[in-house]
Amino acid sequence: MANPLKGEITLDLAGKEYKARLTMNAIMQVEEACGCGIIKLATKMSEADIRMSEIISVLLPALRGGGNDLQHNDVIKIVEDTGIVKATSAVANLLAKTLTDDSEETTDEGKLEKVG
């Protein structure tokens, strides 16, 4: 089971559940591989402008960050078995969870407050 307090989420890929976590090191690897910042990458995803190589470049370090011992070709196979749309959706969810802080909520005045 994924631990959201550690930034882990569970991804259902190819009929199997994987823990995934984008650590700071993993984010830097993704940015280097994709040639843009993580926020720009998330924006590109929201505009349906993402390449399969970028999907793999996000999934590989995220799955490794979740404790999975996978190689590049393993992740390609997982994406093939999962399907492009579902794998892309999983990456979008991963990026959204990574870039948001669930411990903060916006008040009626638009200010952020810590929850908990």
Side-chain angles (χ1 to χ4, degrees):
M1 180 176 204
N3 183 349
L5 296 176
K6 287 180 151 184
E8 292 176 346
I9 69 166
T10 301
L11 298 178
D12 183 11
L13 300 167
K16 184 176 176 187
E17 287 190 346
Y18 293 91
K19 279 194 260 182
R21 179 174 176 241
L22 278 173
T23 63
M24 193 56 64
N25 188 43
I27 290 171
M28 291 187 298
Q29 289 175 14
V30 169
E31 291 176 336
E32 183 67 28
C34 295
C36 66
I38 196 79
I39 294 172
K40 181 165 186 160
L41 184 63
T43 301
K44 285 175 58 174
M45 284 204 77
S46 71
E47 296 169 349
D49 182 25
I50 190 144
R51 299 173 181 198
M52 289 312 302
S53 61
E54 293 170 323
I55 296 294
I56 303 300
S57 294
V58 173
L59 276 177
L60 180 58
L63 291 171
R64 286 180 176 169
N68 303 285
D69 184 21
L70 298 170
Q71 301 304 314
H72 188 263
N73 287 337
D74 299 326
V75 177
I76 290 172
K77 177 76 170 125
I78 289 169
V79 170
E80 287 174 348
D81 292 347
T82 301
I84 292 171
V85 172
K86 190 169 180 183
T88 301
S89 177
V91 169
N93 184 39
L94 172 66
L95 289 174
K97 296 277 187 184
T98 299
L99 296 173
T100 57
D101 182 357
D102 290 339
S103 69
E104 294 180 344
E105 288 183 356
T106 305
T107 65
D108 291 338
E109 295 83 34
K111 297 177 186 173
L112 292 177
E113 288 186 351
K114 283 284 189 194
V115 176

